[in-house]
Amino acid sequence: MTATTGGATDGATDAGPGSAALEGLALNPATTVDILLRLLEPPYEAAWSALCRWRRELPPEVVDAIVAHPAPRTRGGLARNPHVPGETRGRVVDDEHWLVRALLADGPGQDVWPRYLPDHVTDRMLTTYDGQELQSLLFSRQVPYRTLLAHAAHPVAELRAYGTGMWSALSEERRAALLADPDPDVRTAAERARARRDENDDAAEMERRLRALPGTRSHAHGHILVNCRLSRAVVDELLQEREDDDLWCLAHNYSTPQDVVAHVARVGDAKARVEVARRADLPRELVDLLARDPDPDVRTAVSVRAELTEAERAAVDYVVEPHEVVDVGPDLYRAPLAHARSAHPLLRRRVAHNPELPPELVALLAADDDPGVRIVLAQHHPEAPPELLLRCYLEYTGRNRDRLLGLPRFPVAGLGARFGTAEDPAVRLLATMDPDAEPALVDALTRDADARVRAGAARNPALPVERLLQLLEDKELSKEAAANPALPRETMHALLDAV
C-alpha cells in the first residue's frame, strides 16, 4: 500500500485498494483514537483528506492533533469539514498559513446546510482577514444575517466600522449613531457608506458614468441600470431602444418613475412583469392588475406580497408546484415567523428555510399538508423530525434528495425489512443503512446490480465478517469495507502495518 501527495485539501490519492482502504479507515465511526492519531502520521497521507475533511465525528484528542499538525492540508480540511461544529472549525481562525484561513472563510461549501461559525470566530475574522477572505466569508453562509446587522452596534469599534457595510439595511437611528460614533474610524466608515449611497442615488452622476462607458453592455452598465438612480433621459432611452432585459431593469430599479412601472406592467414580457409584481412600492391598482395577469408566474409573485390579507391571497389564482424546491440565500431566513400559519404554501416554504425556527414551528411545519414545505424543512432545519426525513426521501426525487441520508437524525431502524427488496435502487439503498438488518440480506446487497447499494451494504455492520474481509480485497468496495464499524480492530492495525 502506498500513499501519494495530493493537493491542499482534497488531493488525489492512489487509486488502488490500499489507499482506498486507508480512506475508509479514516471514515470508520468505530476507529479508535490511537488509530486516528496514527493516520495523521506521514506514511498515511492518503487518508488525511478523508479524516480531516469528511469524518463525521472527531474526538477532542484528534482535533488537537489536527490543529497542531505541520501540514496545512490537514488543518484546511478541518476548516471545511461540514460535519463538525463551527466552534471546532473555528480553532484554525488564526492559522499561520494563508490557505487554511482562506478555506475557513470559504466554509464547507454551498451544497450543504449553512454551518454558522460562532460570533467570536467571525468577529476575529472580520478584524484580521483581508478583502478576498472577507468576501468569501460573506458569501459562504457561515454568518447569520442577524450577526451582520448586529455589528453596527458592536462594542468593538472596528466591528462597528465593518457594520457600516450593511448601511442600506440599517435603521435611520442606527445610521445616525454611526455617523456620530465616538470613534473617528467608525465615523469615517459611516460617512463613506452614506456617500456611496448618495452617489448611487445621484441620477446625473449615474447618467454621466453610463455615457462614459463603452457602447457594448457590460457588468458596469448592468450595475447602474439595476441598482442606481436613473435620470428620466436614461429611462426614456431604455424604453425606446429596448435591448434585452431593459424592461426588466426598469421593473427592478427602485428609482423607476411610477408611470414607467405601470407601462412595464402592461407591455413587458412575463419576466419583467414578475419583477414589477415584486416591487415594494407597487400601487394598489397595479397589484390588482397583475393579480389578474394571464401568466401564472406573475400572479404567483403578486400572491405573496406583504400587504395582502389572507383572503386577498386566496383570491389570486396562483400556481405552486408541489415538489418544486429551490435553494435560497439568507434573505428568506428573515421571513416573518407568522407566515408559518399562512394559508399560502410559498410563504410557509419561506419560513421553513430558516434553520433557527423554534421547536413549535418545526413541529407545525413538519405536519404541513404541502410537500414543498415539508421538503424545505427537512433539508434546512437541524431538528427536523426523523420520520419527516424518511418521508421526504421517499416522496421527493429532486435536487439534494441524498442530502437527507447524511443527516444525523435520519432514522435507520427497520429499514432493512421494509426496503431490502424494493424495486427502486434509491429506495433499496435505505436497507443498507439499517445496522440491524438481516446479515444474509446485507450480504446479498453487496452483490446488488446498483453500485450505490453495493457500497452501502459494504459499510453495514450487519455484514458477515467473512464477507467483509473479502471486500477489503475488492478494488471497488475496499474503501466502504474499511469504513465498516464491524471491521475487527486487529484488521485495522494490519491495514496500517501494511503501508
Side-chain angles (χ1 to χ4, degrees), residues 53-54 56 78-90 103-119 121-122 125 137 139-144 146 333 355-356 378-383 403 406-409:
R53 172 83 163 93
W54 297 110
R56 290 186 171 274
L78 178 66
R80 298 203 69 201
N81 190 314
H83 306 299
V84 301
E87 190 75 44
T88 300
R89 294 191 297 110
L103 291 172
L104 179 63
D106 283 341
Q110 295 294 318
D111 58 341
V112 297
W113 283 352
R115 289 294 189 257
Y116 294 146
L117 290 168
D119 287 353
V121 173
T122 56
M125 296 170 79
L137 175 65
F139 281 100
S140 69
R141 301 196 298 171
Q142 298 183 94
V143 186
R146 54 174 167 76
Y333 298 163
E356 299 180 315
Q379 290 188 347
H380 289 83
H381 202 286
E383 297 301 321
R403 174 190 293 177
L407 300 179
R409 290 171 63 87

CSV table of all heavy atoms in Angstrom, one decimal, residues 53-54 56 78-90 103-119 121-122 125 137 139-144 146 333 355-356 378-383 403 406-409:
chain,number,residue,atom,x,y,z
A,53,ARG,N,-11.3,16.3,6.5
A,53,ARG,CA,-12.4,17.0,5.8
A,53,ARG,C,-13.7,16.3,5.9
A,53,ARG,O,-14.8,17.0,5.9
A,53,ARG,CB,-11.9,17.1,4.3
A,53,ARG,CG,-13.0,17.6,3.3
A,53,ARG,CD,-13.0,19.1,3.3
A,53,ARG,NE,-13.7,19.7,2.2
A,53,ARG,CZ,-14.9,20.0,2.1
A,53,ARG,NH1,-15.7,19.9,3.2
A,53,ARG,NH2,-15.4,20.6,1.0
A,54,TRP,N,-13.8,15.0,6.0
A,54,TRP,CA,-15.1,14.3,5.8
A,54,TRP,C,-15.5,13.5,7.0
A,54,TRP,O,-16.6,13.0,7.0
A,54,TRP,CB,-15.1,13.5,4.6
A,54,TRP,CG,-14.9,14.3,3.3
A,54,TRP,CD1,-13.8,14.3,2.5
A,54,TRP,CD2,-15.8,15.2,2.8
A,54,TRP,NE1,-14.0,15.2,1.5
A,54,TRP,CE2,-15.2,15.8,1.6
A,54,TRP,CE3,-17.1,15.6,3.2
A,54,TRP,CZ2,-15.9,16.7,0.8
A,54,TRP,CZ3,-17.8,16.6,2.4
A,54,TRP,CH2,-17.1,17.1,1.2
A,56,ARG,N,-17.2,12.3,10.3
A,56,ARG,CA,-18.3,12.9,10.9
A,56,ARG,C,-18.0,13.3,12.4
A,56,ARG,O,-18.6,14.3,12.8
A,56,ARG,CB,-19.5,12.0,10.8
A,56,ARG,CG,-20.0,11.9,9.4
A,56,ARG,CD,-21.3,11.0,9.3
A,56,ARG,NE,-21.9,11.1,8.0
A,56,ARG,CZ,-22.7,12.1,7.6
A,56,ARG,NH1,-23.1,13.1,8.5
A,56,ARG,NH2,-23.2,12.2,6.4
A,78,LEU,N,-9.9,20.4,8.2
A,78,LEU,CA,-10.8,20.6,9.3
A,78,LEU,C,-11.6,21.9,9.2
A,78,LEU,O,-12.8,22.0,9.5
A,78,LEU,CB,-9.9,20.8,10.6
A,78,LEU,CG,-10.6,21.1,11.9
A,78,LEU,CD1,-11.5,19.9,12.3
A,78,LEU,CD2,-9.6,21.4,13.0
A,79,ALA,N,-11.0,22.9,8.6
A,79,ALA,CA,-11.7,24.2,8.4
A,79,ALA,C,-12.9,24.1,7.5
A,79,ALA,O,-13.9,24.9,7.7
A,79,ALA,CB,-10.7,25.2,7.7
A,80,ARG,N,-12.9,23.1,6.6
A,80,ARG,CA,-14.1,22.9,5.7
A,80,ARG,C,-14.9,21.7,6.0
A,80,ARG,O,-15.9,21.4,5.3
A,80,ARG,CB,-13.6,22.8,4.3
A,80,ARG,CG,-12.8,24.0,3.8
A,80,ARG,CD,-12.8,24.1,2.3
A,80,ARG,NE,-14.2,24.4,1.8
A,80,ARG,CZ,-14.6,24.1,0.5
A,80,ARG,NH1,-13.8,23.5,-0.3
A,80,ARG,NH2,-15.8,24.4,0.2
A,81,ASN,N,-14.7,21.0,7.1
A,81,ASN,CA,-15.4,19.8,7.4
A,81,ASN,C,-16.9,20.2,7.7
A,81,ASN,O,-17.2,20.9,8.6
A,81,ASN,CB,-14.9,19.1,8.7
A,81,ASN,CG,-15.5,17.8,8.9
A,81,ASN,OD1,-16.7,17.6,8.8
A,81,ASN,ND2,-14.6,16.8,9.2
A,82,PRO,N,-17.8,19.7,6.9
A,82,PRO,CA,-19.2,20.1,7.1
A,82,PRO,C,-20.0,19.4,8.2
A,82,PRO,O,-21.1,19.8,8.6
A,82,PRO,CB,-19.9,19.6,5.7
A,82,PRO,CG,-19.1,18.4,5.3
A,82,PRO,CD,-17.7,18.7,5.8
A,83,HIS,N,-19.3,18.5,8.9
A,83,HIS,CA,-20.0,17.7,9.9
A,83,HIS,C,-19.6,18.1,11.3
A,83,HIS,O,-20.4,17.8,12.3
A,83,HIS,CB,-19.6,16.2,9.8
A,83,HIS,CG,-19.8,15.6,8.4
A,83,HIS,ND1,-21.1,15.6,7.9
A,83,HIS,CD2,-19.0,15.1,7.5
A,83,HIS,CE1,-21.0,15.1,6.6
A,83,HIS,NE2,-19.8,14.8,6.4
A,84,VAL,N,-18.5,18.8,11.5
A,84,VAL,CA,-18.1,19.2,12.9
A,84,VAL,C,-18.7,20.6,13.2
A,84,VAL,O,-19.0,21.4,12.3
A,84,VAL,CB,-16.6,19.2,13.0
A,84,VAL,CG1,-16.1,17.8,12.7
A,84,VAL,CG2,-15.9,20.2,12.1
A,85,PRO,N,-18.9,20.9,14.5
A,85,PRO,CA,-19.4,22.2,14.9
A,85,PRO,C,-18.5,23.4,14.4
A,85,PRO,O,-17.3,23.2,14.3
A,85,PRO,CB,-19.4,22.1,16.4
A,85,PRO,CG,-19.4,20.7,16.8
A,85,PRO,CD,-18.6,20.0,15.7
A,86,GLY,N,-19.2,24.5,14.3
A,86,GLY,CA,-18.4,25.7,13.9
A,86,GLY,C,-17.3,26.1,14.9
A,86,GLY,O,-16.3,26.6,14.6
A,87,GLU,N,-17.6,25.8,16.2
A,87,GLU,CA,-16.6,26.1,17.2
A,87,GLU,C,-15.3,25.3,16.9
A,87,GLU,O,-14.2,25.8,17.1
A,87,GLU,CB,-17.2,25.7,18.6
A,87,GLU,CG,-16.3,26.1,19.8
A,87,GLU,CD,-16.4,27.6,20.0
A,87,GLU,OE1,-17.6,28.1,20.0
A,87,GLU,OE2,-15.4,28.2,20.3
A,88,THR,N,-15.5,24.0,16.5
A,88,THR,CA,-14.3,23.2,16.2
A,88,THR,C,-13.6,23.7,14.9
A,88,THR,O,-12.3,23.9,15.0
A,88,THR,CB,-14.7,21.7,15.9
A,88,THR,OG1,-15.4,21.2,17.1
A,88,THR,CG2,-13.5,20.9,15.6
A,89,ARG,N,-14.3,24.0,13.9
A,89,ARG,CA,-13.6,24.6,12.7
A,89,ARG,C,-13.0,25.9,13.0
A,89,ARG,O,-11.9,26.2,12.4
A,89,ARG,CB,-14.7,24.8,11.6
A,89,ARG,CG,-15.2,23.5,11.1
A,89,ARG,CD,-16.0,23.6,9.8
A,89,ARG,NE,-17.2,24.4,9.9
A,89,ARG,CZ,-17.4,25.7,9.4
A,89,ARG,NH1,-16.4,26.2,8.7
A,89,ARG,NH2,-18.5,26.3,9.6
A,90,GLY,N,-13.6,26.7,13.9
A,90,GLY,CA,-13.0,28.0,14.2
A,90,GLY,C,-11.7,28.0,14.9
A,90,GLY,O,-11.1,29.0,15.1
A,103,LEU,N,-9.6,28.8,3.5
A,103,LEU,CA,-10.5,27.7,3.4
A,103,LEU,C,-11.6,27.8,4.5
A,103,LEU,O,-12.7,27.5,4.3
A,103,LEU,CB,-9.8,26.3,3.6
A,103,LEU,CG,-8.9,26.0,2.4
A,103,LEU,CD1,-8.1,24.7,2.7
A,103,LEU,CD2,-9.8,25.7,1.1
A,104,LEU,N,-11.2,28.3,5.7
A,104,LEU,CA,-12.2,28.6,6.7
A,104,LEU,C,-13.2,29.6,6.3
A,104,LEU,O,-14.4,29.5,6.5
A,104,LEU,CB,-11.5,29.1,8.0
A,104,LEU,CG,-12.4,29.4,9.2
A,104,LEU,CD1,-13.2,28.1,9.6
A,104,LEU,CD2,-11.6,30.0,10.3
A,105,ALA,N,-12.7,30.7,5.6
A,105,ALA,CA,-13.6,31.7,5.0
A,105,ALA,C,-14.5,31.1,4.0
A,105,ALA,O,-15.7,31.5,3.9
A,105,ALA,CB,-12.8,32.8,4.5
A,106,ASP,N,-14.0,30.2,3.2
A,106,ASP,CA,-14.9,29.6,2.1
A,106,ASP,C,-16.0,28.7,2.8
A,106,ASP,O,-17.1,28.7,2.2
A,106,ASP,CB,-14.0,28.7,1.2
A,106,ASP,CG,-13.2,29.5,0.2
A,106,ASP,OD1,-13.6,30.6,0.0
A,106,ASP,OD2,-12.3,28.9,-0.3
A,107,GLY,N,-15.7,28.1,3.9
A,107,GLY,CA,-16.7,27.3,4.6
A,107,GLY,C,-16.8,25.9,3.9
A,107,GLY,O,-16.1,25.5,3.0
A,108,PRO,N,-17.8,25.1,4.4
A,108,PRO,CA,-17.9,23.7,3.9
A,108,PRO,C,-18.4,23.6,2.5
A,108,PRO,O,-18.3,22.6,1.9
A,108,PRO,CB,-19.0,23.2,4.9
A,108,PRO,CG,-18.9,24.0,6.1
A,108,PRO,CD,-18.6,25.4,5.6
A,109,GLY,N,-19.0,24.7,2.0
A,109,GLY,CA,-19.5,24.6,0.6
A,109,GLY,C,-20.9,24.9,0.5
A,109,GLY,O,-21.7,24.8,1.5
A,110,GLN,N,-21.4,25.3,-0.7
A,110,GLN,CA,-22.8,25.7,-0.9
A,110,GLN,C,-23.7,24.5,-1.0
A,110,GLN,O,-24.9,24.7,-1.0
A,110,GLN,CB,-22.9,26.5,-2.2
A,110,GLN,CG,-22.1,27.8,-2.1
A,110,GLN,CD,-22.7,28.8,-1.1
A,110,GLN,OE1,-23.9,28.9,-1.0
A,110,GLN,NE2,-21.9,29.5,-0.4
A,111,ASP,N,-23.2,23.3,-1.1
A,111,ASP,CA,-24.1,22.1,-1.3
A,111,ASP,C,-24.5,21.5,0.1
A,111,ASP,O,-25.0,20.4,0.1
A,111,ASP,CB,-23.5,21.1,-2.2
A,111,ASP,CG,-22.1,20.6,-1.7
A,111,ASP,OD1,-21.5,21.3,-0.8
A,111,ASP,OD2,-21.7,19.5,-2.1
A,112,VAL,N,-24.2,22.2,1.2
A,112,VAL,CA,-24.6,21.7,2.5
A,112,VAL,C,-25.3,22.8,3.2
A,112,VAL,O,-25.4,23.9,2.8
A,112,VAL,CB,-23.3,21.2,3.3
A,112,VAL,CG1,-22.6,20.1,2.6
A,112,VAL,CG2,-22.4,22.4,3.5
A,113,TRP,N,-25.9,22.4,4.3
A,113,TRP,CA,-26.6,23.4,5.1
A,113,TRP,C,-25.7,24.5,5.5
A,113,TRP,O,-24.5,24.4,5.6
A,113,TRP,CB,-27.1,22.8,6.4
A,113,TRP,CG,-28.3,21.9,6.4
A,113,TRP,CD1,-29.1,21.7,5.3
A,113,TRP,CD2,-28.7,21.1,7.4
A,113,TRP,NE1,-30.1,20.9,5.7
A,113,TRP,CE2,-29.9,20.5,6.9
A,113,TRP,CE3,-28.3,20.9,8.7
A,113,TRP,CZ2,-30.6,19.6,7.7
A,113,TRP,CZ3,-29.1,20.0,9.5
A,113,TRP,CH2,-30.2,19.4,9.0
A,114,PRO,N,-26.2,25.7,5.8
A,114,PRO,CA,-25.4,26.7,6.4
A,114,PRO,C,-24.8,26.2,7.7
A,114,PRO,O,-25.5,25.6,8.5
A,114,PRO,CB,-26.3,27.9,6.7
A,114,PRO,CG,-27.5,27.6,5.8
A,114,PRO,CD,-27.6,26.2,5.6
A,115,ARG,N,-23.5,26.3,7.9
A,115,ARG,CA,-22.8,25.9,9.1
A,115,ARG,C,-22.2,27.1,9.8
A,115,ARG,O,-21.1,27.6,9.5
A,115,ARG,CB,-21.7,24.9,8.8
A,115,ARG,CG,-22.3,23.5,8.4
A,115,ARG,CD,-23.0,22.8,9.5
A,115,ARG,NE,-23.3,21.4,9.1
A,115,ARG,CZ,-24.6,21.0,8.8
A,115,ARG,NH1,-25.5,21.9,8.7
A,115,ARG,NH2,-24.8,19.8,8.5
A,116,TYR,N,-23.0,27.7,10.7
A,116,TYR,CA,-22.6,29.0,11.2
A,116,TYR,C,-21.4,28.9,12.1
A,116,TYR,O,-21.3,27.9,12.9
A,116,TYR,CB,-23.8,29.6,12.1
A,116,TYR,CG,-25.0,30.0,11.3
A,116,TYR,CD1,-26.3,29.8,11.8
A,116,TYR,CD2,-24.9,30.4,10.0
A,116,TYR,CE1,-27.4,30.2,11.1
A,116,TYR,CE2,-26.0,30.8,9.3
A,116,TYR,CZ,-27.3,30.7,9.8
A,116,TYR,OH,-28.4,31.0,9.1
A,117,LEU,N,-20.5,29.9,12.0
A,117,LEU,CA,-19.4,30.0,12.9
A,117,LEU,C,-19.8,30.8,14.1
A,117,LEU,O,-20.7,31.6,14.0
A,117,LEU,CB,-18.2,30.7,12.2
A,117,LEU,CG,-17.5,29.9,11.1
A,117,LEU,CD1,-16.6,30.8,10.3
A,117,LEU,CD2,-16.7,28.7,11.6
A,118,PRO,N,-19.2,30.5,15.3
A,118,PRO,CA,-19.5,31.3,16.5
A,118,PRO,C,-19.2,32.8,16.2
A,118,PRO,O,-18.3,33.1,15.5
A,118,PRO,CB,-18.6,30.7,17.6
A,118,PRO,CG,-18.2,29.4,17.1
A,118,PRO,CD,-18.2,29.5,15.6
A,119,ASP,N,-19.9,33.6,16.9
A,119,ASP,CA,-19.7,35.1,16.7
A,119,ASP,C,-18.3,35.5,17.0
A,119,ASP,O,-17.7,36.3,16.3
A,119,ASP,CB,-20.7,35.9,17.6
A,119,ASP,CG,-22.1,35.8,17.1
A,119,ASP,OD1,-22.3,35.3,16.0
A,119,ASP,OD2,-23.0,36.3,17.8
A,121,VAL,N,-15.6,33.9,16.5
A,121,VAL,CA,-14.7,33.5,15.4
A,121,VAL,C,-14.9,34.5,14.3
A,121,VAL,O,-14.0,34.9,13.7
A,121,VAL,CB,-15.0,32.0,15.0
A,121,VAL,CG1,-14.2,31.7,13.7
A,121,VAL,CG2,-14.7,31.1,16.1
A,122,THR,N,-16.2,34.7,13.9
A,122,THR,CA,-16.4,35.7,12.8
A,122,THR,C,-15.9,37.1,13.1
A,122,THR,O,-15.4,37.8,12.3
A,122,THR,CB,-17.9,35.7,12.4
A,122,THR,OG1,-18.7,36.1,13.5
A,122,THR,CG2,-18.3,34.4,11.9
A,125,MET,N,-12.3,37.1,12.4
A,125,MET,CA,-12.0,37.1,11.0
A,125,MET,C,-12.3,38.5,10.4
A,125,MET,O,-11.5,38.9,9.6
A,125,MET,CB,-12.9,36.0,10.3
A,125,MET,CG,-12.7,34.6,10.7
A,125,MET,SD,-13.9,33.4,10.1
A,125,MET,CE,-13.4,33.2,8.5
A,137,LEU,N,-16.0,34.9,3.0
A,137,LEU,CA,-16.8,34.6,4.3
A,137,LEU,C,-18.2,35.1,4.1
A,137,LEU,O,-19.2,34.3,4.5
A,137,LEU,CB,-16.1,35.4,5.5
A,137,LEU,CG,-16.9,35.3,6.8
A,137,LEU,CD1,-16.9,33.9,7.3
A,137,LEU,CD2,-16.2,36.2,7.8
A,139,PHE,N,-20.1,35.3,1.5
A,139,PHE,CA,-20.8,34.5,0.6
A,139,PHE,C,-20.9,33.0,1.0
A,139,PHE,O,-21.5,32.2,0.3
A,139,PHE,CB,-20.2,34.6,-0.8
A,139,PHE,CG,-20.6,35.9,-1.5
A,139,PHE,CD1,-19.7,36.9,-1.6
A,139,PHE,CD2,-21.8,36.1,-2.1
A,139,PHE,CE1,-20.0,38.1,-2.2
A,139,PHE,CE2,-22.1,37.2,-2.8
A,139,PHE,CZ,-21.2,38.3,-2.8
A,140,SER,N,-20.3,32.7,2.1
A,140,SER,CA,-20.2,31.3,2.5
A,140,SER,C,-21.4,30.8,3.3
A,140,SER,O,-21.4,29.6,3.7
A,140,SER,CB,-18.9,31.1,3.3
A,140,SER,OG,-19.0,31.7,4.6
A,141,ARG,N,-22.3,31.7,3.7
A,141,ARG,CA,-23.5,31.3,4.6
A,141,ARG,C,-23.0,30.8,5.9
A,141,ARG,O,-23.7,29.9,6.5
A,141,ARG,CB,-24.3,30.2,3.9
A,141,ARG,CG,-24.9,30.7,2.6
A,141,ARG,CD,-26.0,29.8,2.1
A,141,ARG,NE,-25.6,28.4,1.9
A,141,ARG,CZ,-26.4,27.4,1.7
A,141,ARG,NH1,-27.7,27.6,1.7
A,141,ARG,NH2,-26.0,26.2,1.5
A,142,GLN,N,-21.9,31.3,6.4
A,142,GLN,CA,-21.4,30.9,7.8
A,142,GLN,C,-21.7,32.0,8.8
A,142,GLN,O,-21.5,31.7,10.0
A,142,GLN,CB,-19.9,30.7,7.7
A,142,GLN,CG,-19.4,29.6,6.8
A,142,GLN,CD,-18.0,29.4,6.9
A,142,GLN,OE1,-17.5,28.5,7.7
A,142,GLN,NE2,-17.2,30.1,6.2
A,143,VAL,N,-22.2,33.1,8.4
A,143,VAL,CA,-22.5,34.2,9.3
A,143,VAL,C,-24.0,34.6,9.2
A,143,VAL,O,-24.5,34.9,8.2
A,143,VAL,CB,-21.7,35.5,8.9
A,143,VAL,CG1,-21.9,36.6,10.0
A,143,VAL,CG2,-20.2,35.2,8.8
A,144,PRO,N,-24.7,34.4,10.3
A,144,PRO,CA,-26.2,34.7,10.3
A,144,PRO,C,-26.4,36.1,9.9
A,144,PRO,O,-25.6,37.0,10.3
A,144,PRO,CB,-26.6,34.3,11.7
A,144,PRO,CG,-25.6,33.5,12.3
A,144,PRO,CD,-24.3,33.9,11.6
A,146,ARG,N,-28.5,38.1,11.2
A,146,ARG,CA,-28.7,38.8,12.4
A,146,ARG,C,-27.4,39.3,13.0
A,146,ARG,O,-27.3,40.4,13.5
A,146,ARG,CB,-29.4,38.0,13.5
A,146,ARG,CG,-28.8,36.7,13.7
A,146,ARG,CD,-29.4,35.9,14.9
A,146,ARG,NE,-28.9,34.5,14.9
A,146,ARG,CZ,-27.7,34.1,15.3
A,146,ARG,NH1,-26.9,35.0,15.7
A,146,ARG,NH2,-27.4,32.8,15.3
A,333,TYR,N,-34.3,33.7,5.2
A,333,TYR,CA,-34.2,33.4,6.6
A,333,TYR,C,-34.9,34.5,7.5
A,333,TYR,O,-35.1,34.3,8.7
A,333,TYR,CB,-32.8,33.2,7.1
A,333,TYR,CG,-32.0,32.0,6.4
A,333,TYR,CD1,-30.7,31.9,6.4
A,333,TYR,CD2,-32.8,31.1,5.7
A,333,TYR,CE1,-30.0,30.9,5.7
A,333,TYR,CE2,-32.1,30.0,5.0
A,333,TYR,CZ,-30.8,30.0,5.0
A,333,TYR,OH,-30.1,29.0,4.4
A,355,PRO,N,-33.1,27.9,9.5
A,355,PRO,CA,-32.6,26.9,10.3
A,355,PRO,C,-32.6,27.1,11.8
A,355,PRO,O,-32.2,26.3,12.6
A,355,PRO,CB,-31.1,26.8,9.8
A,355,PRO,CG,-30.8,28.2,9.4
A,355,PRO,CD,-32.1,28.7,8.8
A,356,GLU,N,-33.2,28.3,12.2
A,356,GLU,CA,-33.3,28.6,13.6
A,356,GLU,C,-34.7,28.7,14.1
A,356,GLU,O,-35.0,29.3,15.1
A,356,GLU,CB,-32.5,29.9,13.8
A,356,GLU,CG,-31.0,29.9,13.5
A,356,GLU,CD,-30.3,31.2,13.7
A,356,GLU,OE1,-30.9,32.2,13.4
A,356,GLU,OE2,-29.2,31.2,14.3
A,378,ALA,N,-37.1,19.7,6.0
A,378,ALA,CA,-36.3,18.5,6.2
A,378,ALA,C,-34.8,18.9,5.7
A,378,ALA,O,-33.9,18.4,6.3
A,378,ALA,CB,-36.8,17.4,5.4
A,379,GLN,N,-34.7,19.6,4.6
A,379,GLN,CA,-33.4,19.9,4.1
A,379,GLN,C,-32.7,21.0,4.8
A,379,GLN,O,-31.4,21.1,4.7
A,379,GLN,CB,-33.5,20.3,2.6
A,379,GLN,CG,-33.9,19.1,1.7
A,379,GLN,CD,-33.8,19.5,0.2
A,379,GLN,OE1,-33.7,20.7,-0.1
A,379,GLN,NE2,-33.9,18.5,-0.6
A,380,HIS,N,-33.4,21.9,5.6
A,380,HIS,CA,-32.7,23.0,6.1
A,380,HIS,C,-32.7,23.2,7.6
A,380,HIS,O,-32.0,24.0,8.2
A,380,HIS,CB,-33.4,24.3,5.5
A,380,HIS,CG,-33.0,24.5,4.1
A,380,HIS,ND1,-33.7,23.9,3.1
A,380,HIS,CD2,-32.1,25.3,3.5
A,380,HIS,CE1,-33.2,24.3,1.9
A,380,HIS,NE2,-32.2,25.1,2.1
A,381,HIS,N,-33.5,22.4,8.3
A,381,HIS,CA,-33.6,22.5,9.8
A,381,HIS,C,-32.9,21.4,10.5
A,381,HIS,O,-33.2,20.2,10.3
A,381,HIS,CB,-35.0,22.7,10.3
A,381,HIS,CG,-35.1,23.4,11.6
A,381,HIS,ND1,-34.7,22.7,12.8
A,381,HIS,CD2,-35.4,24.6,12.0
A,381,HIS,CE1,-34.8,23.6,13.8
A,381,HIS,NE2,-35.2,24.8,13.3
A,382,PRO,N,-31.9,21.7,11.4
A,382,PRO,CA,-31.2,20.6,12.0
A,382,PRO,C,-32.0,19.7,13.0
A,382,PRO,O,-31.6,18.6,13.3
A,382,PRO,CB,-30.0,21.3,12.8
A,382,PRO,CG,-30.5,22.7,12.9
A,382,PRO,CD,-31.4,23.0,11.7
A,383,GLU,N,-33.2,20.2,13.4
A,383,GLU,CA,-34.0,19.5,14.3
A,383,GLU,C,-35.3,18.9,13.6
A,383,GLU,O,-36.3,18.6,14.3
A,383,GLU,CB,-34.4,20.4,15.5
A,383,GLU,CG,-33.2,20.8,16.3
A,383,GLU,CD,-32.5,19.7,16.9
A,383,GLU,OE1,-33.1,18.7,17.3
A,383,GLU,OE2,-31.2,19.7,17.0
A,403,ARG,N,-29.0,14.5,0.3
A,403,ARG,CA,-28.6,15.2,1.5
A,403,ARG,C,-29.2,14.6,2.7
A,403,ARG,O,-28.7,14.6,3.8
A,403,ARG,CB,-28.8,16.7,1.3
A,403,ARG,CG,-28.5,17.5,2.6
A,403,ARG,CD,-29.1,18.9,2.4
A,403,ARG,NE,-28.4,19.7,1.4
A,403,ARG,CZ,-28.7,20.9,1.0
A,403,ARG,NH1,-29.7,21.5,1.6
A,403,ARG,NH2,-28.0,21.6,0.1
A,406,GLY,N,-27.6,11.8,4.8
A,406,GLY,CA,-26.4,12.0,5.6
A,406,GLY,C,-26.7,12.8,6.9
A,406,GLY,O,-25.8,13.1,7.7
A,407,LEU,N,-28.0,13.1,7.2
A,407,LEU,CA,-28.3,13.9,8.3
A,407,LEU,C,-28.3,13.0,9.6
A,407,LEU,O,-28.8,11.8,9.5
A,407,LEU,CB,-29.7,14.5,8.2
A,407,LEU,CG,-29.8,15.5,7.0
A,407,LEU,CD1,-31.2,16.1,6.9
A,407,LEU,CD2,-28.8,16.6,7.1
A,408,PRO,N,-27.8,13.5,10.7
A,408,PRO,CA,-27.6,12.6,11.9
A,408,PRO,C,-29.0,12.1,12.4
A,408,PRO,O,-29.0,11.1,13.1
A,408,PRO,CB,-26.9,13.5,12.9
A,408,PRO,CG,-27.1,14.9,12.4
A,408,PRO,CD,-27.2,14.8,10.9
A,409,ARG,N,-30.1,12.8,12.1
A,409,ARG,CA,-31.4,12.4,12.7
A,409,ARG,C,-32.1,11.4,11.7
A,409,ARG,O,-33.3,11.1,12.0
A,409,ARG,CB,-32.2,13.6,13.0
A,409,ARG,CG,-31.7,14.4,14.2
A,409,ARG,CD,-32.4,15.7,14.4
A,409,ARG,NE,-33.8,15.6,14.6
A,409,ARG,CZ,-34.3,15.5,15.8
A,409,ARG,NH1,-33.5,15.4,16.9
A,409,ARG,NH2,-35.6,15.4,16.0
